């Protein structure tokens, strides 16, 4: 049995060996030996020896079976030791050389690039702080384009104003964040972002301005739309007030001109190619020619009716719109609606107000003057329409009634003269050319075509017109002379067409046209009479025809014009009224000469 002293001595013995106590497991094992019984202690050497032999055998077996692994482990351990050694060297180099050099480079970078980095960080901070505002500003051009396309001009201007204010605030923030610039007399240039945004906003405003100006050129636009467009142009301050008024008037006049040209084009008429003196009217007789002239006159009258209506509506709207938008700005309503404009805004140039009526009338009167004669005899409805148009324009200070009377008078005279040329004159010249000598052939005797074969030839003394005879009843004596009766009927048809509209001012011109036709027809008949060579009976027939022409046909038609159409007492010696702008054709003198020639010939052949 081991005593405490022996145990202590045994522990001290074990502890003095470094090999036994080097590992904690050995120390734990040795510390437990004194507590074992003696039998266990005596058996311990044998047990340890057995375990040693067992372990040795096991290690030998392991070394034999796993020698590749052991070799690989050895090589890896050697490589690890080399790596750790290299790492130790590298760390020493890093601590001794690289880190001091990096510190020097960092210090140099901080000294040279520090302010720039700080400034960039400040800018980045400002951008982050103003991010919401910047995002809203980037949406402004898109929103403005949408508003402009949809006609929301007030919203577009509000967005432009908001963007301008926000950009000014951003410029202020930038100037406060930047270092004070050197006093070189130059202001800080705007940021590229600001320049790009301002360019896009200016482009949207330019598109809006073009749309507003285009509104002024759109036909069919009424006062509210034009008022709105002008008000926005004023708010945008794109041009002075006088230029805006001139642009407005020019645009609306252009629309009116386009509408009038469209009417003229649809009607198939053209002022530049107008030439209608009656020579291009075809037809085998007077009825066919009158029917052709009426058809053309109806087309022209329909065109003029539409033309006058379009002009009246357009001119009335233009003057009303111009007056309301530009001239009525001193009224209480106008001042309330223009409260956003500066009080010192000048009124438009008064020259526009004074020249506008003449400009508008220049679109109507030349066309009326050119085409009105072609509408004869359908002039009465057109005269009524022109009178109504003038009355309507008089309510806005454009009474042009005094300018219409000469136009209508000239149209009546020209139309009646054309009826004379295409009717009685052509009919008479055709009949006379048929029976007169031509190409050496013998002319037809007067008794064969100038006098009636069923009625006796009246005496020369009885061939005269009674002063008390009715102006609307044709003389019965002319039935003895069929060509003269036919000619009288043609003249009466022309007088009936004239009766629908016969201004008093046209009396002189109409009578001159009638006398010119009678004079030319009488001259041609007189030439036929003087060229006839025959017996006494044929000469007497010719004298009777000439007397009927100058003593019955001519006085009756002159009275029919003066008294029957114009209702004025006929006086062959009364002075002729001159029509302004109508050049007298000498019809009275021509007819007077013709009558004198006939009377002289009748006197010479009476013996």
């Amino acid at each position: 049995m081991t005593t405490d002293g022996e145990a202590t001595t045994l522990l001290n013995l074990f502890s003095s060996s470094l090999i036994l106590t080097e590992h904690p497991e050995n120390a734990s094992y040795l510390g437990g030996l004194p507590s074992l019984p003696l039998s266990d202690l005596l058996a311990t050497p044998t047990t340890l020896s057995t375990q040693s032999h067992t372990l040795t055998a096991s290690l030998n077996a392991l070394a034999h079976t796993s020698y590749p692994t052991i070799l690989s482990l050895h090589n890896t351990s050697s490589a690890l030791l080399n790596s750790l050694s290299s790492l130790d060297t590298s760390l020493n180099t890093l601590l001794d050389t690289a880190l001091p050099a990096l510190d020097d480079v960092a210090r140099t970078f901080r000294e040279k690039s520090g302010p720039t980095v700080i400034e960039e960080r400040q800018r980045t901070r400002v951008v982050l702080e103003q991010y919401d505002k910047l995002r809203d500003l980037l949406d402004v051009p898109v929103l403005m384009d949408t508003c402009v396309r949809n006609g929301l001009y007030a919203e577009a201007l509000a967005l432009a104003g908001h963007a301008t204010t926000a950009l000014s605030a951003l410029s202020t923030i930038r100037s406060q964040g930047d270092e004070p610039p050197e006093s070189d007399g130059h202001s800080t240039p705007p940021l590229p972002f600001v320049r790009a945004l301002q360019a896009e906003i200016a482009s949207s405003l330019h598109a809006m301005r073009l749309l507003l100006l285009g509104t002024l050129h759109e036909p069919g636009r009424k006062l509210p739309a034009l008022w709105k467009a002008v008000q926005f142009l004023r708010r945008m301050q794109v041009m002075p007030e006088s230029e805006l008024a001139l642009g407005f008037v020019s645009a609306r006049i252009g629309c009116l001109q386009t509408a009038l040209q469209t009417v003229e084009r649809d009607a198939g008429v053209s002022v530049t190619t107008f030439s209608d003196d009656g020579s291009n009217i075809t037809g085998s007789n007077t009825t066919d020619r009158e029917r052709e002239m009426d058809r053309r006159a109806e087309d022209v009258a329909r065109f003029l009716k539409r033309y006058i209506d379009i002009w009246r509506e357009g001119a009335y709207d233009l003057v009303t719109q111009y007056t309301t938008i530009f001239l009525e700005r001193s009224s209480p309503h106008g001042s309330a609606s223009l409260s956003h404009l500066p009080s010192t805004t000048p009124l438009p140039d008064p020259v526009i107000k004074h020249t506008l009526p003449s400009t508008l009338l220049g679109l109507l009167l030349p066309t009326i003057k050119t085409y009105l004669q072609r509408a004869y005899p359908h002039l009465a409805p057109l005269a009524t329409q022109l009178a109504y148009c003038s009355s309507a324009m008089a309510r806005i200070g454009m009474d042009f009634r005094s300018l219409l009377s000469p136009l209508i008078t000239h149209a009546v005279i020209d139309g009646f003269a054309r009826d004379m040329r295409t009717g009685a004159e052509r009919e008479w010249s055709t009949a006379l050319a048929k029976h007169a000598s031509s190409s050496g052939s013998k002319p037809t005797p007067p008794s064969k075509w100038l006098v009636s074969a069923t009625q006796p030839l009246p005496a020369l003394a009885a061939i005269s017109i009674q002063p008390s005879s009715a102006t609307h009843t044709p003389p019965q004596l002319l039935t003895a002379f069929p060509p003269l009766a036919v000619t009288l009927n043609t003249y009466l048809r022309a007088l009936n067409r004239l009766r629908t509209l016969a201004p008093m001012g046209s009396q002189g011109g109409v009578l001159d046209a009638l006398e010119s036709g009678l004079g030319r027809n009488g001259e041609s008949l007189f030439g036929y009479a003087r060229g006839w060579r025959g017996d006494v009976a044929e000469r007497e027939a010719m004298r009777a025809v000439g007397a009927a022409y100058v003593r019955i046909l001519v006085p009756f038609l002159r009275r029919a014009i003066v008294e029957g159409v114009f209702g004025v007492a006929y006086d062959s010696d009364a002075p002729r009224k001159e029509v302004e702008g109508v050049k007298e054709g000498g019809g009275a003198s021509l007819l007077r000469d013709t009558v004198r020639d006939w009377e002289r010939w009748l006197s010479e052949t009476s013996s």
Side-chain angles (χ1 to χ4, degrees):
M1 183 174 182
T2 306
T3 62
D4 293 335
E6 292 177 351
T8 300
T9 303
L10 183 60
L11 286 174
N12 292 335
L13 179 61
F14 288 155
S15 300
S16 61
S17 177
L18 294 177
I19 297 176
L20 295 178
T21 60
E22 183 177 4
H23 298 284
E25 295 82 358
N26 295 338
S28 175
Y29 177 76
L30 294 176
L33 287 178
S35 60
L36 294 176
L38 180 59
S39 58
D40 291 339
L41 290 174
L42 293 176
T44 295
T46 304
T47 303
L48 291 176
S49 178
T50 302
Q51 291 178 353
S52 175
H53 288 292
T54 303
L55 290 175
T56 301
S58 299
L59 287 176
N60 290 332
L62 179 63
H64 179 73
T65 57
S66 302
Y67 75 92
T69 304
I70 295 174
L71 293 178
S72 175
L73 180 61
H74 174 72
N75 294 333
T76 302
S77 299
S78 301
L80 178 61
L81 291 177
N82 293 333
S83 299
L84 291 177
S85 176
S86 176
L87 177 62
D88 180 65
T89 303
S90 299
L91 289 176
N92 292 332
T93 304
L94 177 64
L95 293 176
D96 297 338
T97 305
L99 289 180
L102 179 62
D103 184 65
D104 295 339
V105 172
R107 187 182 302 106
T108 303
F109 174 79
R110 183 183 58 189
E111 293 175 354
K112 292 183 178 181
S113 304
T116 304
V117 174
I118 294 174
E119 180 181 358
E120 190 67 27
R121 290 182 61 188
Q122 290 177 349
R123 291 179 180 178
T124 305
R125 178 178 54 81
V126 171
V127 170
L128 292 177
E129 292 175 353
Q130 304 295 328
Y131 173 74
D132 294 334
K133 294 182 179 180
L134 294 176
R135 184 179 59 185
D136 294 341
L137 287 176
L138 290 174
D139 294 337
V140 166
V142 178
L143 294 176
M144 285 187 63
D145 289 340
T146 304
C147 292
V148 170
R149 285 195 300 269
N150 295 327
L152 305 176
Y153 301 126
E155 289 76 3
L157 290 178
L159 287 172
H162 166 70
T164 302
T165 304
L167 291 176
S168 300
L170 286 178
S171 300
T172 303
I173 294 174
R174 179 202 176 193
S175 61
Q176 292 177 355
D178 292 342
E179 295 180 359
E182 298 179 358
S183 58
D184 54 356
H186 298 285
S187 59
T188 304
L191 294 171
F193 165 78
V194 175
R195 289 198 300 268
L197 200 58
Q198 288 175 344
E200 293 183 6
I201 294 174
S203 176
S204 299
L205 292 176
H206 180 70
M208 175 179 169
R209 181 164 61 249
L210 292 180
L211 288 177
L212 292 174
L213 292 175
T215 302
L216 303 182
H217 289 80
E218 293 180 4
R221 287 286 187 172
K222 298 302 181 182
L223 179 59
L226 297 175
W227 171 277
K228 179 181 177 182
V230 172
Q231 292 300 88
F232 283 118
L233 289 173
R234 282 172 174 163
R235 290 178 59 182
M236 296 175 69
Q237 299 180 355
V238 296
M239 61 184 72
E241 186 71 10
S242 58
E243 294 183 8
L244 181 59
L246 181 60
F248 174 85
V249 171
S250 301
R252 301 318 298 170
I253 289 179
C255 292
L256 180 57
Q257 286 178 330
T258 302
L260 295 177
Q261 291 171 359
T262 301
V263 173
E264 183 176 354
R265 184 177 60 253
D266 294 342
V269 295
S270 175
V271 176
T272 57
T273 60
F274 170 76
S275 176
D276 190 5
D277 56 356
S279 59
N280 58 349
I281 302 298
T282 59
S284 59
N285 52 48
T286 303
T287 302
D288 293 340
R289 289 191 291 271
E290 285 184 357
R291 188 179 297 112
E292 176 66 18
M293 287 191 297
D294 287 345
R295 184 188 64 79
R296 297 185 183 185
E298 287 179 0
D299 294 339
V300 175
R302 192 179 302 110
F303 154 68
L304 287 179
K305 180 178 182 300
R306 179 61 177 164
Y307 192 94
I308 295 170
D309 286 340
I310 293 296
W311 182 88
R312 176 180 55 82
E313 295 174 2
Y316 189 90
D317 288 345
L318 196 157
V319 175
T320 304
Q321 293 161 359
Y322 177 78
T323 303
T324 303
I325 295 175
F326 294 98
L327 300 184
E328 295 181 356
R329 299 177 57 186
S330 58
S331 62
H333 174 73
S335 60
S337 61
L338 300 175
S339 57
H340 65 279
L341 295 176
S343 59
T344 59
T345 301
L347 291 175
D349 193 344
V351 176
I352 301 176
K353 178 182 177 181
H354 297 154
T355 58
L356 181 57
S358 60
T359 303
L360 292 176
L361 291 176
L363 299 177
L364 175 68
L365 297 183
T367 303
I368 295 299
K369 181 179 179 181
T370 302
Y371 288 110
L372 199 60
Q373 59 178 333
R374 296 181 64 184
Y376 182 87
H378 305 284
L379 295 179
L382 294 176
T384 303
Q385 185 182 11
L386 287 172
Y388 168 74
C389 178
S390 176
S391 300
M393 299 303 293
R395 293 197 295 267
I396 55 176
M398 281 185 59
D399 187 2
F400 58 96
R401 226 168 314 185
S402 60
L403 302 177
L404 296 176
S405 179
L407 298 179
I408 297 175
T409 300
H410 297 164
V412 170
I413 295 173
D414 293 340
F416 181 76
R418 186 170 63 253
D419 274 3
M420 292 293 99
R421 290 190 296 269
T422 59
E425 292 185 29
R426 188 180 298 183
E427 193 79 16
W428 180 258
S429 61
T430 301
L432 190 61
K434 179 180 179 181
H435 297 284
S437 60
S438 60
S439 302
S441 62
K442 187 177 180 180
T444 305
S447 60
K448 299 296 183 180
W449 69 283
L450 284 175
V451 298
S452 175
T454 60
Q455 295 185 18
L457 187 67
L460 192 64
I463 300 177
S464 63
I465 188 170
Q466 300 297 327
S468 60
S469 62
T471 59
H472 60 277
T473 303
Q476 294 297 322
L477 276 175
L478 292 181
T479 57
F481 309 98
L484 296 185
V486 172
T487 301
L488 175 61
N489 185 55
T490 305
Y491 278 111
L492 292 180
R493 291 167 65 95
L495 294 185
N496 289 331
R497 290 158 63 89
L498 173 65
R499 196 184 301 273
T500 58
L501 179 65
M504 292 302 298
S506 64
Q507 176 184 342
V510 168
L511 188 57
D512 185 80
L514 174 68
E515 291 173 342
S516 298
L518 290 173
R520 285 189 290 270
N521 290 347
E523 277 185 341
S524 61
L525 182 62
F526 183 69
Y528 171 78
R530 294 188 62 179
W532 174 254
R533 298 290 184 271
D535 55 13
V536 176
E538 295 296 340
R539 186 179 63 181
E540 291 300 321
M542 191 68 244
R543 294 180 71 238
V545 172
Y549 186 86
V550 298
R551 297 175 183 177
I552 296 180
L553 181 64
V554 170
F556 174 77
L557 288 176
R558 295 178 73 178
R559 283 188 59 197
I561 285 285
V562 178
E563 295 183 4
V565 176
F566 293 97
V568 181
Y570 175 68
D571 185 3
S572 59
D573 298 328
R576 191 71 52 82
K577 293 183 179 180
E578 295 184 358
V579 181
E580 181 183 356
V582 176
K583 184 179 181 180
E584 295 294 342
S589 61
L590 176 61
L591 181 60
R592 190 182 307 114
D593 295 341
T594 302
V595 172
R596 185 173 60 251
D597 293 340
W598 269 108
E599 293 293 346
R600 184 184 303 111
W601 185 78
L602 291 175
S603 299
E604 293 174 353
T605 56
S606 61
S607 56

